[in-house]
Amino acid sequence: MSNTAATATEKWDTVVELSHVTKYFDQKRPVSLLRRERHRVYALDDVSFSLQKGELTAYAGPNGAGKSTTFKLLSGMLRPQQGSVRLFGLDPGENRIEVMRRTGVLFGNRSELWWDHPVRASFEWKKAVWDIDDHAYRRACGELRELLGLEECWNSFVRELSLGQRMRANLALTLLHGPELVLLDEPTLGLDVLAKRQMIAFLKQINREKRVTLLVTSHDMDDLTEMANRILLLSAGHLAFDGSYEQLAQLAGDYRIIRLSTPGEAPVLEGATYLGCEDGRHLYRYNAGAMTVQQVFSALSRIRDVQDVELGHEDVEQVIARLYQNML
C-alpha cells in the first residue's frame, strides 16, 4: 500500500464521501433529418452524502435516477464535472488501484464469471490477477463456498447454472479479495423470493460479523426495508431523502400494496383502495399507519374464493412521488 493510502486511512473513518457532486452527459438529439440539437442530461445534480465504516445503506430510485452513475464515480470509471468523490479519503479516479484493492463492485446485469469454464476457474483467475496469497485464497474460498452454497456448483460450467447460482457466485467473486467496501447494483435482480431472502440474509451477515460497509441499489422497497437501516432515495439526479424507513414513512406515509387473486370481478376490500388489475391480480392500497395487519386479514377473510394474497410495499416511484407531493 502506498504512503498516501496509509495516511488517508489513518485520518478517515468515513469510507465514502460525495460532496456536491454533479455529473452530466452531453447528447446530440435529432430535431430534423439534417439537424441535431445538443442536449445536456444530468445524471447527478449537486448530490452529497457520506457512509461510515460498517454501514449497510440502501441506494434507491427508479431506472435512470443516477444510481449506476454513482457507482461508476465511486469506482473511478467516471469523473464528476463538479464536486468531489472520496473513498477511504482518496480520489478513486487518481488512486484507482489503492481504492479498488479495498473495494468490491458488482453490477446485477454484468458478470465476471467465465461463461464456458467451471466456476472455480474464475476464482483462480482472480487469485492470479489480484495476487492473493495461497492461505488467504483457501480461507476466503472455503468461507464463501459454504456461506453462499456454492459447493454443489463449484465444478459446473457457468452456462449451466441457474440465475440464483450465478448471482451467488458473482457475489462470492466480488468478495474474494476481502474488500472493506462493497458496492452492489441490483444484486437481487431477477431472483425468486427464496433466492432474494438468502442473498439479503448473507449481506446482513457479512455486514454484522465482518463490518463490511455496503451500499446496495434497488428499486424494490420490500428488499430495501428488509435489508438496510438507512435509505438514500435518488430521483432524477437529486437526493430526495436520507434517513430510516420509519422517517420516510412519516414524511411520505406508510402505504402498502395488496395483490389479490380471485375469480371474476374485483371484490370490495374494506379499508383499502382498489387500484386496478395487473397480471390477472387485483391491486389494492392501504395505509399501514391506520390499518393493522390483523385488520387486513380480517377484511380478506370476508372475501369468498380467495386464491392467493401477497402484501408488499409500494414501488419506489410511488413513494418518491408522494414524498414530493407531501413536501409541497
Side-chain angles (χ1 to χ4, degrees):
M1 182 182 294
S2 69
N3 291 332
T4 303
T7 303
T9 304
E10 293 169 1
K11 293 181 178 180
W12 284 78
D13 292 327
T14 301
V15 177
V16 173
E17 183 174 38
L18 272 71
S19 180
H20 301 289
V21 169
T22 295
K23 178 63 183 177
Y24 57 79
F25 301 93
D26 288 327
Q27 301 176 346
K28 289 184 177 180
R29 295 183 175 179
V31 293
S32 67
L33 185 62
L34 299 176
R35 182 167 167 262
R36 292 208 177 10
E37 182 178 75
R38 185 178 294 276
H39 180 73
R40 178 161 290 178
V41 178
Y42 282 82
L44 296 174
D45 191 358
D46 195 27
V47 171
S48 298
F49 68 84
S50 62
L51 302 179
Q52 303 301 312
K53 181 176 177 59
E55 278 197 84
L56 200 173
T57 303
Y59 197 44
N63 292 332
K67 303 188 300 297
S68 295
T69 297
T70 302
F71 274 30
K72 291 175 182 178
L73 289 167
L74 291 173
S75 57
M77 297 167 64
L78 295 174
R79 302 294 298 273
Q81 277 88 4
Q82 298 177 20
S84 65
V85 179
R86 294 288 184 271
L87 272 68
F88 311 106
L90 300 170
D91 183 332
E94 296 179 359
N95 305 274
R96 194 174 184 195
I97 294 177
E98 292 93 334
V99 166
M100 294 313 295
R101 284 192 180 279
R102 304 171 66 182
T103 305
V105 185
L106 175 61
F107 290 91
N109 60 347
R110 298 180 185 176
S111 175
E112 287 188 281
L113 298 170
W114 292 4
W115 188 252
D116 289 315
H117 291 75
V119 172
R120 57 175 170 77
S122 299
F123 285 75
E124 292 166 357
W125 164 81
K126 185 169 184 177
K127 174 186 182 299
V129 171
W130 285 77
D131 194 24
I132 303 173
D133 69 69
D134 292 341
H135 176 72
Y137 176 74
R138 287 194 299 269
R139 177 178 51 79
C141 271
E143 288 183 0
L144 292 169
R145 286 166 63 177
E146 179 181 355
L147 292 173
L148 285 167
L150 298 178
E151 295 288 355
E152 62 182 12
C153 63
W154 187 246
N155 292 307
S156 300
F157 287 97
V158 172
R159 65 172 183 268
E160 298 173 346
L161 305 185
S162 67
L163 176 60
Q165 289 173 322
R166 288 201 305 274
M167 290 298 291
R168 294 200 305 273
N170 270 307
L171 179 57
L173 194 58
T174 301
L175 299 172
L176 183 64
H177 65 292
E180 301 167 52
L181 168 68
V182 178
L183 310 174
L184 301 174
D185 190 15
E186 300 282 0
T188 61
L189 186 66
L191 300 182
D192 59 35
V193 174
L194 178 59
K196 279 187 180 184
R197 299 289 78 78
Q198 292 172 338
M199 180 72 76
I200 290 172
F202 175 77
L203 295 177
K204 292 169 73 172
Q205 180 179 350
I206 63 170
N207 170 252
R208 180 180 64 253
E209 296 179 358
K210 298 182 179 295
R211 293 199 69 210
V212 175
T213 306
L214 291 161
L215 183 62
V216 186
T217 76
S218 180
H219 60 273
D220 190 322
M221 286 301 298
D222 288 322
D223 290 352
L224 298 179
T225 54
E226 182 179 347
M227 190 185 312
N229 296 322
R230 179 184 178 193
I231 297 176
L232 301 173
L233 275 184
L234 198 64
S235 176
H238 296 276
L239 195 61
F241 175 82
D242 179 358
S244 67
Y245 181 78
E246 289 73 19
Q247 293 170 323
L248 179 60
Q250 290 178 355
L251 292 173
D254 191 5
Y255 287 87
R256 310 290 174 90
I257 299 296
I258 300 173
R259 294 173 173 84
L260 181 64
S261 297
T262 61
E265 297 182 357
V268 175
L269 181 59
E270 296 177 22
T273 303
Y274 181 64
L275 302 179
C277 189
E278 180 183 277
D279 297 328
R281 297 185 295 178
H282 303 299
L283 269 61
Y284 301 83
R285 182 175 63 198
Y286 73 97
N287 186 348
M291 191 175 183
T292 66
V293 175
Q294 290 81 1
Q295 290 173 322
V296 170
F297 281 104
S298 178
L300 288 167
S301 68
R302 291 190 286 272
I303 298 176
R304 298 181 58 185
D305 301 326
V306 174
Q307 298 173 337
D308 187 37
V309 177
E310 180 185 342
L311 276 66
H313 290 83
E314 288 185 301
D315 293 336
V316 170
E317 292 90 339
Q318 296 170 310
V319 174
I320 290 175
R322 199 171 55 256
L323 177 65
Y324 279 133
Q325 183 179 11
N326 292 352
M327 292 173 63
L328 293 177

